[in-house]
Amino acid sequence: MGSSRPRNAAATREAILQSAIRHFALSGYDGVGVREIARDAGVTAMLVNRYFGSKEQLFAEAVETSFAPPTIVAEVPVALARDAATALVERSDPDADPLEPFLIMLRSISNPAAVNIVRDAIARHVGQRLARQLPEAGRQLRTDAMLSVMSGVLLMRRVIRSPGLTDADTDQL
């Protein structure tokens, strides 16, 4: 499985991390074990634990890695509402790339430790990018409300596949 991958620590660590992101997005925190992640990465569960310490620490790093890139809220958009709406329509398209950060969040909500890790990552990444662009008065409420709307659109369009959202003209949406 991992025989074509270069044998070096950075490549091994990255293979484990990418396997973890895929598995957590598919099955959530409680739905996948370290052995499955290791098998997909072409390593042993012992090696996963050597690199990451524990499943929870691996989850925290997978969340951090997948939540860090700006996907809907840009670092410095010209027009926050328009730019975020355009990016949201693109990211929520049923044929778009996998929504690993969103799916990790959605499929891990049954585990309180996982929820805390996800909440902190959201606050550090998209939450901070968004808050920097909002007026100070009511900033937290506005940030959380916008994040809720984004999550709702992602859920209804990508997971539930609501016809009103999936069949709509993208410009209208």
Side-chain angles (χ1 to χ4, degrees):
M1 211 178 257
S3 59
S4 64
R5 189 178 68 249
R7 290 185 179 253
N8 67 56
T12 299
R13 190 173 201 293
E14 184 62 20
I16 294 167
L17 189 56
Q18 291 307 312
S19 174
I21 290 169
R22 282 191 304 276
H23 281 282
F24 289 134
L26 284 171
S27 305
Y29 182 83
D30 289 330
V32 67
V34 172
R35 282 188 173 88
E36 295 164 278
I37 293 168
R39 186 173 40 248
D40 186 39
V43 299
T44 64
M46 190 172 79
L47 194 60
V48 171
N49 288 326
R50 186 179 313 152
Y51 277 95
F52 294 93
S54 68
K55 178 181 171 183
E56 187 172 316
Q57 289 171 303
L58 174 59
F59 180 78
E61 192 148 345
V63 166
E64 187 67 21
T65 300
S66 66
F67 277 67
T71 56
I72 295 174
V73 177
E75 288 290 344
V76 185
V78 176
L80 177 61
R82 186 192 70 233
D83 292 350
T86 300
L88 183 58
V89 168
E90 290 171 5
R91 289 287 293 161
S92 66
D93 186 300
D95 297 323
D97 60 59
L99 293 172
E100 289 166 336
F102 177 75
L103 294 174
I104 289 170
M105 175 184 75
L106 179 66
R107 294 178 175 148
S108 300
I109 59 174
S110 62
N111 185 290
V115 167
N116 288 334
I117 291 167
V118 168
R119 183 186 312 110
D120 291 346
I122 290 170
R124 262 192 321 283
H125 296 294
V126 68
Q128 279 186 8
R129 284 191 295 274
L130 188 53
R132 280 194 302 265
Q133 300 169 55
L134 295 171
E136 194 167 332
R139 181 177 287 159
Q140 187 64 56
L141 175 59
R142 286 183 172 113
T143 298
D144 288 346
M146 284 185 70
L147 291 171
S148 297
V149 168
M150 288 182 240
S151 294
V153 171
L154 291 169
L155 176 68
M156 295 303 292
R157 191 160 185 231
R158 284 294 291 270
V159 179
I160 306 295
R161 295 187 183 260
S162 174
L165 295 173
T166 57
D167 298 344
D169 175 69
T170 56
D171 289 335
Q172 184 184 12
L173 190 55

